Amino acid sequence: MKQKIINDIMQQMLPYLNNSQLQKLQAVVEHSLYGCEIIDNILDEEDDSVRLVEAFIYAKRIEGCSEKTLKYYEATIHSMITVVAKCVRHIQTDDLRAYLTEYQERNGSSKVTIDNIRRILSSFFSWLEDEDHILKSPVRRIHKVKTISSIKETYSDEDMERMRDYCTELRDLAIIDMLASTGMRIGEMVLLNKADINFNERECVVFGKGDKERVVYFDARTKIHLQNYLESRTDDDPALFVTLKAPYKRINIGGIESRLRKMGRLLNIDKVHPHKFRRTLATIAIDKGMPIEQLQKLLGHKRIDTTLQYAMVKQSNVKQAHRKYIG
């Protein structure tokens, strides 16, 4: 209890004193309380951590975060609170550093995972600070975790043609071309309806993260394969892509992922999954000279840094650019 009082005093004085003054204040307070017996009041302040987490989730929902993201935020924060076993108002930097370290050791988590947790906790405590529930976020002094930048794999032209040749179902061929030519997220594609497709302009409107609306475009080959697939359908379901067997209903993300994984195994193509089509499109666009700002809009990224992570510039192009502009 004594240490809690000292910590509260120090935290409240953080905005007004420099490090040297804070150290002097801490020494004075500890000296003044030395020998004093402080009995913890049973009627101590109520732990309102649950209420504060709920309020934070409400705020993020209003900002437009998806329900999937909100559930991830909520689970991550509650997991931390359970382990640290303190009211969020009293959690300190050292508590969070210890939590992140123990979490990584216990779960064998990657640096990327740990930094994702740090980022979520930073968002939560920054919100508490902005809303005047705490004086200063304890995450401020926990810096971004350095991670190794790895080159993400993309599909080669040969991979794409082999996958197209493998398809025995018009639906699967249309799905592959739709993902490859639009660069849309798999979650965006499964929500599309037949009425959303504008064949004349070769475009459609999708709802991305945070229900943000944007237009994506597809090529002539995708148009033909998509029309062939829709003409072959005998059901009246409004969904753009449906299951192959009756009762026909909108296909889900898991159905497409498992279909692509099976295809990858049979064709001996490494890591076949929907998101790889998106990364491939970004890489091709950059290699062919598309301005990064336009690619950002096409992919529906809020921050251009995210777009840059998707775009893997080929080393051969770097060599050519060096010869053109420097050598």
Side-chain angles (χ1 to χ4, degrees), residues 273-305:
H273 55 83
H275 210 74
K276 197 170 176 180
F277 290 97
R278 183 170 165 85
R279 191 183 305 124
T280 301
L281 178 136
T283 302
I284 293 172
I286 288 292
D287 284 342
K288 290 187 175 181
M290 177 182 279
I292 192 68
E293 296 83 3
Q294 293 180 15
L295 180 59
Q296 176 189 8
K297 189 171 182 65
L298 182 66
L299 296 178
H301 288 153
K302 184 178 180 181
R303 298 171 63 245
I304 202 165
D305 290 350

Side-chain angles (χ1 to χ4, degrees), residues 21 62 73 90 100 108 131 135 148 155-156 169 178 187 209 234 247 267 281 293 301 313:
Q21 291 170 330
I62 292 173
Y73 276 28
H90 302 138
L100 292 173
E131 296 291 318
L135 287 170
I148 299 173
Y155 296 118
S156 67
E169 297 290 344
M178 197 69 170
K209 290 185 177 180
T234 57
L267 296 176
L281 178 136
E293 296 83 3
H301 288 153
V313 180

Side-chain angles (χ1 to χ4, degrees), residues 22-127:
L22 285 169
Q23 290 175 358
K24 182 63 176 176
L25 174 62
Q26 184 171 355
V28 171
V29 174
E30 289 176 348
H31 178 75
S32 300
L33 294 178
Y34 181 77
C36 296
E37 182 181 358
I38 300 177
I39 301 175
D40 194 356
N41 188 353
I42 295 176
L43 298 176
D44 199 2
E45 64 176 334
E46 179 186 359
D47 185 347
D48 57 351
S49 298
V50 174
R51 181 183 65 80
L52 292 175
V53 174
E54 288 178 352
F56 169 71
I57 297 299
Y58 291 149
K60 301 304 286 187
R61 181 176 284 114
I62 292 173
E63 291 177 13
C65 289
S66 67
E67 289 302 315
K68 182 179 179 181
T69 298
L70 294 176
K71 288 180 180 178
Y72 182 44
Y73 276 28
E74 190 171 17
T76 300
I77 297 168
H78 278 305
S79 177
M80 179 275 298
I81 294 173
T82 301
V83 174
V84 175
K86 282 186 177 181
C87 174
V88 294
R89 297 178 186 270
H90 302 138
I91 290 176
Q92 301 174 46
T93 301
D94 287 344
D95 296 323
L96 296 177
R97 283 185 178 137
Y99 171 73
L100 292 173
T101 301
E102 292 169 3
Y103 185 98
Q104 186 174 29
E105 292 175 351
R106 183 172 65 253
N107 299 289
S109 305
S110 67
K111 290 183 178 180
V112 173
T113 298
I114 296 303
D115 194 61
N116 284 339
I117 296 174
R118 179 204 61 82
R119 180 173 48 81
I120 292 171
L121 297 180
S122 177
S123 178
F124 173 56
F125 282 103
S126 294
W127 177 84

Side-chain angles (χ1 to χ4, degrees), residues 61-268:
R61 181 176 284 114
I62 292 173
E63 291 177 13
C65 289
S66 67
E67 289 302 315
K68 182 179 179 181
T69 298
L70 294 176
K71 288 180 180 178
Y72 182 44
Y73 276 28
E74 190 171 17
T76 300
I77 297 168
H78 278 305
S79 177
M80 179 275 298
I81 294 173
T82 301
V83 174
V84 175
K86 282 186 177 181
C87 174
V88 294
R89 297 178 186 270
H90 302 138
I91 290 176
Q92 301 174 46
T93 301
D94 287 344
D95 296 323
L96 296 177
R97 283 185 178 137
Y99 171 73
L100 292 173
T101 301
E102 292 169 3
Y103 185 98
Q104 186 174 29
E105 292 175 351
R106 183 172 65 253
N107 299 289
S109 305
S110 67
K111 290 183 178 180
V112 173
T113 298
I114 296 303
D115 194 61
N116 284 339
I117 296 174
R118 179 204 61 82
R119 180 173 48 81
I120 292 171
L121 297 180
S122 177
S123 178
F124 173 56
F125 282 103
S126 294
W127 177 84
L128 290 176
E129 179 182 336
D130 293 341
E131 296 291 318
D132 296 325
H133 295 297
I134 60 175
L135 287 170
K136 184 178 180 181
S137 167
V139 191
R140 279 193 184 186
R141 287 179 287 173
I142 303 178
H143 302 298
K144 185 180 186 299
V145 179
K146 292 182 179 180
T147 57
I148 299 173
S149 297
S150 58
I151 297 177
K152 302 294 186 180
E153 294 182 6
T154 58
Y155 296 118
S156 67
D157 292 340
E158 182 181 332
D159 290 337
M160 292 300 305
E161 290 308 316
R162 289 173 63 201
M163 284 189 283
R164 290 188 179 102
D165 290 342
Y166 171 83
C167 293
T168 56
E169 297 290 344
L170 291 174
R171 185 203 66 179
D172 294 346
L173 184 58
I175 284 176
I176 286 176
D177 280 328
M178 197 69 170
L179 289 171
S181 66
T182 64
M184 67 172 68
R185 301 177 180 92
I186 182 64
E188 296 167 345
M189 191 180 73
V190 297
L191 294 177
L192 284 173
N193 290 325
K194 291 181 286 188
D196 296 327
I197 306 300
N198 183 335
F199 283 106
N200 290 330
E201 298 297 327
R202 296 210 309 256
E203 64 183 33
C204 60
V205 176
V206 298
F207 292 90
K209 290 185 177 180
D211 289 332
K212 292 179 182 177
E213 184 180 293
R214 78 178 192 283
V215 180
V216 298
Y217 310 93
F218 49 90
D219 57 20
R221 171 162 44 186
T222 304
K223 174 182 176 178
I224 294 172
H225 291 162
L226 197 55
Q227 286 177 327
N228 289 340
Y229 163 63
L230 293 178
E231 288 172 3
S232 71
R233 295 233 323 242
T234 57
D235 64 277
D236 57 359
D237 194 289
L240 180 62
F241 294 109
V242 295
T243 55
L244 294 175
K245 296 180 180 180
Y248 302 103
K249 59 181 181 179
R250 185 184 302 272
I251 192 171
N252 56 34
I253 294 174
I256 297 176
E257 287 177 336
S258 63
R259 193 86 170 173
L260 290 175
R261 279 197 301 270
K262 180 182 178 181
M263 184 185 300
R265 288 194 301 268
L266 293 172
L267 296 176
N268 198 26

